[in-house]
Amino acid sequence: IVITFGLMNGVYSAMITHLPTYLTSELNYDLYDASYLLGIAGGFAIAGKIVLGWMMDRFNARITVLSAVFAYFMSTVIFMYASSYLLLIVAASLFGLGFGGMVPVRSVLLSRLFGVAKFSRVNGLLSFFLAPATFWVLITGYVADTTGTYTTAFQVWAAAFALAGLISMLVKLPSSEEAIA
């Protein structure tokens, strides 16, 4: 859980920090267009909370987590290869959906794994272990500066999401029936 959510949270921070620079410097969009995409991502993050929260209540936890990971992964791939603003809108939408959805998914998984009585303590401890994920912002900037393109950073992100997906497939994620009381 620490690795999966660390990868997801860190890349989210890096994305909202570096996306405007990528869009303005490499794809030659103006700052308004870049800001608009962040707004779209934010709107879809709200939708992601609702949709993936609903999924956690009705489907296997693994399917729900993998859906969020897949949305993140596909958004990154689209950002790397987008040839139109419409595709960038799709990428921003998927990115927001994945990020927003991870908020209720994380809460539900922690309560299922450790029980409601220990939720606050475990969530606080998890937040402590997720703090280093903020270094993704620095790593992304360093990779983009060193290579001269954000595409390399996006490739690293895609690999991180693939790793998060692999881990999510290997770890037993409890259903609501298997939750600790």
Side-chain angles (χ1 to χ4, degrees):
I1 288 188
V2 169
I3 293 170
T4 298
F5 287 101
L7 293 170
M8 305 273 225
N9 288 356
V11 173
Y12 172 77
S13 297
M15 175 65 83
I16 63 170
T17 301
H18 292 282
L19 184 62
T21 304
Y22 168 67
L23 294 170
T24 57
S25 67
E26 291 191 35
L27 300 184
N28 298 316
Y29 287 99
D30 61 30
L31 199 51
Y32 175 82
D33 291 331
S35 300
Y36 188 75
L37 288 175
L38 287 178
I40 289 171
F44 273 85
I46 294 168
K49 288 174 177 52
I50 296 165
V51 170
L52 272 80
W54 177 84
M55 287 177 69
M56 280 299 285
D57 289 341
R58 287 166 181 75
F59 298 106
N60 180 294
R62 178 172 287 119
I63 290 170
T64 305
V65 171
L66 289 173
S67 296
V69 170
F70 183 74
Y72 259 139
F73 178 81
M74 289 307 300
S75 72
T76 304
V77 170
I78 294 169
F79 274 126
M80 277 191 286
Y81 300 108
S83 57
S84 72
Y85 195 72
L86 181 61
L87 283 174
L88 293 172
I89 289 172
V90 170
S93 301
L94 287 170
F95 189 82
L97 193 68
F99 172 73
M102 292 312 283
V103 174
V105 167
R106 179 175 115 176
S107 297
V108 171
L109 280 178
L110 290 180
S111 67
R112 285 182 186 174
L113 285 168
F114 300 101
V116 175
K118 295 180 183 176
F119 175 80
S120 295
R121 183 175 27 171
V122 171
N123 193 41
L125 189 59
L126 178 61
S127 295
F128 172 77
F129 284 106
L130 294 181
T134 59
F135 286 108
W136 275 100
V137 174
L138 296 172
I139 293 166
T140 298
Y142 177 78
V143 168
D145 289 345
T146 303
T147 63
T149 181
Y150 277 100
T151 301
T152 307
F154 289 161
Q155 291 168 342
V156 171
W157 295 353
F161 294 138
L163 177 61
L166 179 64
I167 290 169
S168 296
M169 287 191 300
L170 296 175
V171 173
K172 181 164 179 9
L173 300 174
S175 67
S176 58
E177 294 82 24
E178 300 167 319
I180 293 177

